Amino acid sequence: MLDLNRIKKASERLEGVVHHTPFSYAPILSEMSGYEVYLKKENLQRTGAFKLRGAFNKIATLVEEGKKGGVVAASAGNHAQGVAFAANYFGIEATIVMPESTPLTKVQGVKVFGANVILHGSNYDEAYAYAVTFGEEKGFDFVHPFTDEEVMAGQGTVALEMLKEEPELDAMVVPVGGGGLISGMATAAKALKPDIKIIAVSAQGAPAMKNSYDAGQPLDTTSVRTIADGIAVRDTSAITLKYILKYVDGFESVCEDEIASAILFLLEKQKVLVEGAGSVGVAALMHGKIDLPKGSKIGIVLSGGNIDVTMLSLIIEKGLMKSARKMKLMVTLMDKPGALQSFTQILTDTDANIVQIGYDRTSIDLEFGDAHVSVALETKGEEHQELIRKKLREGGFAFREEH
């Protein structure tokens, strides 16, 4: 059974290898929420996520047992890098099976630590099945991302560090996918401070563990779809669910828009870059899903920062549109000298900054003598955008907004 002593032993193994990441007071979030909020920044961990803790502890125990024949894992991201780093540290062979659709940057992030990469299957489950078979054929030990008590013990060291720095914490808010992180953290936290509240947060697009928690028994899902790929787990682990049912005091979920808004908030207001999975605790706080007495001291885990830059760009773009700091218009003009100048003069008069503009006079949906102007504007909020709409209507311009 997983217990505090096992987690403390894991902490000893990790000493000098894993960063004691910052656990910092978040003034803006505290003022917004009415709580005293601290952020555990595992996005600044070596390899960019907490997963290194569990992977390193598991492989360290295998080495202590004299097993040095090699390890295999299935992962599309953070666990893969953790296993690769730990295997390289101990000088043993590691093979990571990743789905064929895994972005090149993640593949390279694993190879940089010397691991072998096999691309197999269209999703994690197919990669996992192949990895298990591969490990059996090669005689390699399989390192599971969460259904392993040594992995959970390694993840539990996050809670030890948080309580060492802030022993008066009233609650911990923890992202949940497969449940390894919260199982380890809750076991440690409840042993050290039985009255502390443990709040789980998952993505609505990956509901297996929350459904299982609500039902009190393992329930799998047929598919997952979320930008929080680090917690996009389809099937429920009966092992981690056991610890979650025992220790977790509340379980919330957040939607994709809430996750994206939290990523953008943390980037803009806290100067912290996190991935989707790392933002769900903050998303729950920002959108009123944490119900604790006002003034409670809360620690939120930012579990990782390995976000794909293309996804980050999309989140920023959508966030600017949603917060009325960017506006996209398609305007129909008469295709004659001075028409474009008349349009841009309105933008000048309303202090709207053009960041992109295009002129089209050949589309088949245009009447002869008309032109389309597509324009992206920097704006200063909803009132500013309404002023722009008003002035365009008064100027006789036909337009539609694009979202």
Side-chain angles (χ1 to χ4, degrees):
M1 286 291 294
L2 183 63
D3 58 21
L4 181 60
N5 288 334
R6 206 164 174 182
I7 295 169
K8 287 183 174 179
K9 182 67 176 177
S11 182
E12 293 172 8
R13 294 190 184 101
L14 298 178
E15 190 64 36
V17 177
V18 170
H19 294 323
H20 285 233
T21 52
F23 188 38
S24 309
Y25 177 65
I28 299 174
L29 278 172
S30 297
E31 185 176 349
M32 286 172 53
S33 65
Y35 302 123
E36 188 176 337
V37 181
Y38 294 79
L39 301 177
K40 180 60 171 171
K41 298 175 181 176
E42 283 295 289
N43 59 308
L44 302 180
Q45 187 56 260
R46 298 177 79 163
T47 73
F50 77 95
K51 288 283 190 179
L52 174 60
R53 296 172 181 267
F56 191 93
N57 187 57
K58 173 63 176 179
I59 292 174
T61 60
L62 292 173
V63 171
E64 289 170 8
E65 294 167 2
K67 297 179 180 179
K68 298 184 179 181
V71 293
V72 61
S75 171
N78 295 333
H79 180 62
Q81 292 188 58
V83 171
F85 177 96
N88 183 62
Y89 180 91
F90 288 108
I92 61 178
E93 184 179 351
T95 300
I96 312 297
V97 183
M98 309 179 85
E100 293 168 358
S101 59
T102 302
L104 180 61
T105 53
K106 292 189 175 183
V107 175
Q108 292 172 335
V110 172
K111 287 184 175 179
V112 75
F113 295 117
N116 304 311
V117 174
I118 297 174
L119 298 177
H120 182 89
S122 59
N123 54 49
Y124 169 78
D125 297 286
E126 292 178 8
Y128 169 80
Y130 183 83
V132 171
T133 301
F134 179 88
E136 291 171 350
E137 292 174 352
K138 296 289 186 179
F140 289 176
D141 288 289
F142 186 80
V143 182
H144 198 283
F146 47 85
T147 305
D148 185 295
E149 289 183 345
E150 294 299 349
V151 171
M152 288 185 245
Q155 322 301 29
T157 61
V158 176
L160 297 184
E161 292 177 15
M162 292 169 70
L163 284 172
K164 184 177 181 180
E165 290 194 41
E166 297 293 340
E168 300 306 314
L169 276 182
D170 297 304
M172 293 181 180
V173 181
V174 187
V176 177
L181 176 63
I182 199 168
S183 295
M185 287 186 62
T187 300
K190 291 286 189 177
L192 291 168
K193 191 175 182 182
D195 60 341
I196 195 169
K197 300 297 182 183
I198 306 296
I199 301 171
V201 184
S202 66
Q204 288 181 7
M209 189 60 79
K210 186 178 189 309
N211 291 346
S212 300
Y213 178 84
D214 292 342
Q217 62 181 354
L219 298 174
D220 297 337
T221 52
T222 56
S223 63
V224 295
R225 184 175 180 179
T226 175
I227 59 173
D229 55 346
I231 53 175
V233 177
R234 187 188 68 180
D235 298 335
T236 299
S237 162
I239 294 174
T240 58
L241 178 62
K242 175 181 66 176
Y243 291 101
I244 290 170
L245 290 173
K246 182 177 181 181
Y247 292 123
V248 170
D249 299 288
F251 206 130
E252 304 297 332
S253 64
V254 287
C255 70
E256 299 299 280
D257 283 346
E258 290 167 341
I259 294 169
S261 68
I263 292 172
L264 190 58
F265 173 87
L266 285 164
L267 182 62
E268 190 170 29
K269 302 297 186 182
Q270 296 289 152
K271 315 308 176 189
V272 171
L273 177 63
V274 298
E275 60 190 270
S279 78
V280 296
V282 171
L285 184 72
M286 289 174 60
H287 294 90
K289 299 186 178 184
I290 306 299
D291 184 17
L292 293 167
K294 289 302 178 183
S296 295
K297 184 177 285 191
I298 301 173
I300 302 178
V301 182
L302 308 182
S303 57
N306 294 320
I307 187 169
D308 180 73
V309 292
T310 303
M311 177 60 71
L312 179 61
S313 175
L314 182 61
I315 287 169
I316 292 172
E317 182 74 7
K318 286 180 175 290
L320 292 174
M321 294 285 289
K322 190 172 182 180
S323 61
R325 286 180 289 172
K326 192 169 186 179
M327 185 181 197
K328 293 182 178 180
L329 300 173
M330 178 68 76
V331 183
T332 303
L333 305 176
M334 292 182 66
D335 186 22
K336 67 177 184 178
L340 181 59
Q341 182 179 357
S342 298
F343 166 63
T344 57
Q345 186 61 49
I346 289 176
L347 301 181
T348 300
D349 293 342
T350 55
D351 200 25
N353 188 39
I354 298 173
V355 294
Q356 184 179 2
I357 190 166
Y359 194 90
D360 175 20
R361 60 192 299 193
T362 61
S363 293
I364 58 174
D365 61 337
L366 280 167
E367 298 291 338
F368 288 104
D370 283 350
H372 277 163
V373 175
S374 58
V375 61
L377 306 172
E378 282 182 340
T379 57
K380 303 171 185 177
E382 185 56 45
E383 287 186 11
H384 188 203
Q385 290 191 358
E386 187 54 43
L387 175 62
I388 295 167
R389 297 183 192 103
K390 179 175 179 288
K391 292 299 183 182
L392 287 175
R393 293 188 192 102
E394 289 176 355
F397 291 99
F399 67 92
R400 70 173 186 269
E401 293 187 53
E402 297 184 336
H403 300 283

